[in-house]
Amino acid sequence: MKRIINGIVNENPVLVLLLGLCSALAITNNFENSYIMGICVTIVLICSNLIVSLISKYVTKNVEIPVYILIISTLVTVLEILLKEYVNPLYKVLGIYLPLIVVNCIVLGRALSVASKENVKNSVLDGLGVGLGYTVVLMVLGLIREVLGNETITIMKEISNITHHEIILKINFHSDLFPINIFNKPAGAFITLACLLALFNYIRGGNKNESN
Amino acid sequence: MNLINICLTALLTENVVLTKFLGICPFIGTSKKRSNAIYMGISVMLVVTLSSIITWCLYKYLLVPTETEYLKTVLFILVIASLVQLLEILLKKYLNKIHQVLGLYLPLITTNCAVLGIVLLNITNNYSFVEMLVYSISSSLGFTFVIYLFSSMREKIDKNDIPASFKGHPIALLTAAIMALLFARYL
């Protein structure tokens, strides 16, 4: 439990370590994409941490990185094939950002810094914690950007061929200011993440002062 | 005409960093000094161009005929990783001066999303050989251009008085937001 919370708060991949920003910025223009991407990364993280911690005894330092990258890219390819087969619309929306999980520094970073040293249980929990931390940030980003930029919250649309439900919530601000189109655009992603980071720094800074 | 079009969109309006968010990590991480930015940019250009040529040929003449397109992610990352290794060894042996300058940045490139991203975009956009060449050169040039501009701005920003919680990464991201607006002509 401590490990999971550690992954979400103290070592949050996006807000503290600033890793994996590519996908965090690119696909968060919509709530659904955000949490699906988060789940995908979490699955890859847990699986790669599991495999790496199982085989790390047999891998020498020199070939560590190539071996781990190969494991991660195989996992991502499996995920790609599954998504293409079962949720094709989603596969098209995520596009190149799905294979880019391979070079998402979080996955390789966790494999090198945690999974290759710790036992299996701790590695899997660490993967789960960090993955959840990533998912939460992505969900918050997606929620803010979609509500401000589109006045909607898409919960199930592209995955509706599995769930057989389409849920899109509408929010009306009754103001000419909304929807603010900029939040759908790349610039909006930068602004939202910048504000989220500043807020996080502010809260953490406050906590530090109190403890002092 | 088409080639000029590809070149200009890749360089400016659809810049890899500011609209596709590829290579954000080095963009935020290594862009504190102008010299770092230039060297990083040159290394990326070198690796992107070479790996685009190799992966495009492999995809067209190996994966498509054998109907194993789904292996592209694994194959491409292997090509990029070994290419980076090979470049490092070759530079160290024959061009030691360049190696001393670029050596620090080369290993970082394997996990740079820009490289794998551009290589994959070449395939998803269905480019011909010449188009692929123009696209990969101009988009990596776009990366270098933006990262250089950004680092010059950051050198100035760091000297100014910024609210404590915005110091460092948040202000960098806000700067990037303004640049993204300018590049995509929304202002």
Side-chain angles (χ1 to χ4, degrees):
Chain A
M1 198 61 211
K2 218 173 132 194
R3 284 199 162 261
I4 296 176
I5 291 175
N6 179 45
I8 298 176
V9 182
N10 293 333
E11 286 192 36
N12 188 295
V14 181
L15 297 180
V16 181
L17 307 173
L18 276 131
L19 295 176
L21 292 184
C22 298
S23 41
L25 292 168
I27 45 84
T28 49
N29 53 359
N30 165 313
F31 184 64
E32 185 190 27
N33 294 350
S34 317
Y35 76 78
I36 296 280
M37 190 67 178
I39 293 169
C40 290
V41 172
T42 312
I43 294 171
V44 173
L45 251 171
I46 294 175
C47 294
S48 84
N49 270 6
L50 174 71
I51 298 173
V52 167
S53 64
L54 284 173
I55 64 158
S56 61
K57 270 181 271 174
Y58 312 104
V59 183
T60 51
K61 275 271 172 234
N62 297 333
V63 289
E64 231 179 8
I65 295 178
V67 169
Y68 296 164
I69 286 190
L70 206 61
I71 293 171
I72 298 166
S73 55
T74 314
L75 287 171
V76 172
T77 307
V78 172
L79 195 68
E80 253 184 287
I81 295 171
L82 287 177
L83 280 186
K84 195 177 181 178
E85 186 61 37
Y86 294 108
V87 253
N88 206 8
L90 193 74
Y91 172 79
K92 281 185 186 133
V93 173
L94 293 180
I96 66 158
Y97 296 102
L98 199 59
L100 280 179
I101 297 178
V102 177
V103 284
N104 191 326
C105 327
I106 302 170
V107 187
L108 187 63
R110 284 337 261 190
L112 285 171
S113 67
V114 176
S116 61
K117 298 187 185 95
E118 300 264 5
N119 62 22
V120 177
K121 189 183 151 222
N122 282 351
S123 311
V124 170
L125 285 180
D126 181 81
L128 182 65
V130 173
L132 280 180
Y134 190 71
T135 312
V136 168
V137 176
L138 251 65
M139 281 166 79
V140 172
L141 276 174
L143 197 65
I144 296 174
R145 283 184 68 189
E146 207 192 342
V147 167
L148 294 181
N150 238 346
E151 296 192 55
T152 53
I153 302 173
T154 317
I155 296 174
M156 284 174 195
K157 185 168 166 246
E158 311 290 358
I159 54 168
S160 54
N161 61 350
I162 302 184
T163 55
H164 304 294
H165 288 288
E166 219 180 279
I167 306 176
I168 302 174
L169 304 177
K170 282 216 185 309
I171 293 165
N172 205 338
F173 284 107
H174 299 291
S175 161
D176 292 339
L177 273 173
F178 292 96
I180 310 172
N181 279 327
I182 210 171
F183 281 96
N184 286 330
K185 303 284 187 298
F190 284 116
I191 294 173
T192 320
L193 185 63
C195 295
L196 209 61
L197 262 178
L199 186 71
F200 191 71
N201 282 348
Y202 181 74
I203 294 169
R204 281 217 314 171
N207 282 345
K208 261 181 214 158
N209 291 342
E210 276 168 25
S211 62
N212 285 342
Chain B
M1 200 56 215
N2 189 23
L3 288 181
I4 300 170
N5 211 347
I6 289 178
C7 176
L8 283 180
T9 39
L11 200 59
L12 297 170
T13 47
E14 281 187 25
N15 189 288
V16 274
V17 180
L18 295 174
T19 61
K20 296 204 172 71
F21 308 104
L22 302 174
I24 286 285
C25 297
F27 179 68
I28 303 284
T30 60
S31 63
K32 281 188 184 137
K33 274 172 69 188
R34 265 180 288 178
S35 54
N36 290 359
I38 283 284
Y39 295 138
M40 185 76 197
I42 295 171
S43 319
V44 167
M45 276 167 70
L46 201 67
V47 175
V48 165
T49 316
L50 286 176
S51 56
S52 292
I53 296 171
I54 298 172
T55 51
W56 189 88
C57 293
L58 279 176
Y59 186 80
K60 278 269 138 73
Y61 300 113
L62 184 72
L63 294 188
V64 173
T66 54
E67 287 180 5
T68 45
E69 287 97 333
Y70 58 86
L71 281 176
K72 67 176 189 293
T73 319
V74 181
L75 185 72
F76 289 2
I77 192 78
L78 272 181
V79 167
I80 293 167
S82 34
L83 190 77
V84 170
Q85 281 291 337
L86 197 70
L87 262 179
E88 224 189 326
I89 296 168
L90 285 179
L91 280 181
K92 203 172 186 177
K93 190 143 192 232
Y94 297 107
L95 298 162
N96 208 357
K97 266 195 183 144
I98 299 181
H99 179 258
Q100 276 168 6
V101 181
L102 297 186
L104 260 175
Y105 304 97
L106 274 176
L108 293 175
I109 288 180
T110 316
T111 50
N112 184 334
C113 331
V115 182
L116 188 63
I118 293 171
V119 163
L120 285 169
L121 280 173
N122 282 329
I123 304 296
T124 40
N125 289 353
N126 237 334
Y127 283 143
S128 69
F129 186 80
V130 185
E131 284 171 334
M132 173 276 292
L133 209 57
V134 171
Y135 181 75
S136 40
I137 292 175
S138 45
S139 45
S140 49
L141 203 63
F143 174 81
T144 316
F145 178 50
V146 169
I147 203 171
Y148 179 74
L149 280 182
F150 190 61
S151 62
S152 341
M153 276 193 264
R154 274 184 90 177
E155 281 181 359
K156 293 259 186 301
I157 288 169
D158 283 345
K159 287 176 195 147
N160 284 311
D161 192 21
I162 309 158
S165 38
F166 269 97
K167 261 191 189 125
H169 298 303
I171 194 79
L173 285 168
L174 275 187
T175 320
I178 297 167
M179 280 177 83
L181 282 176
L182 283 173
F183 270 68
R185 297 173 302 176
Y186 287 119
L187 278 185

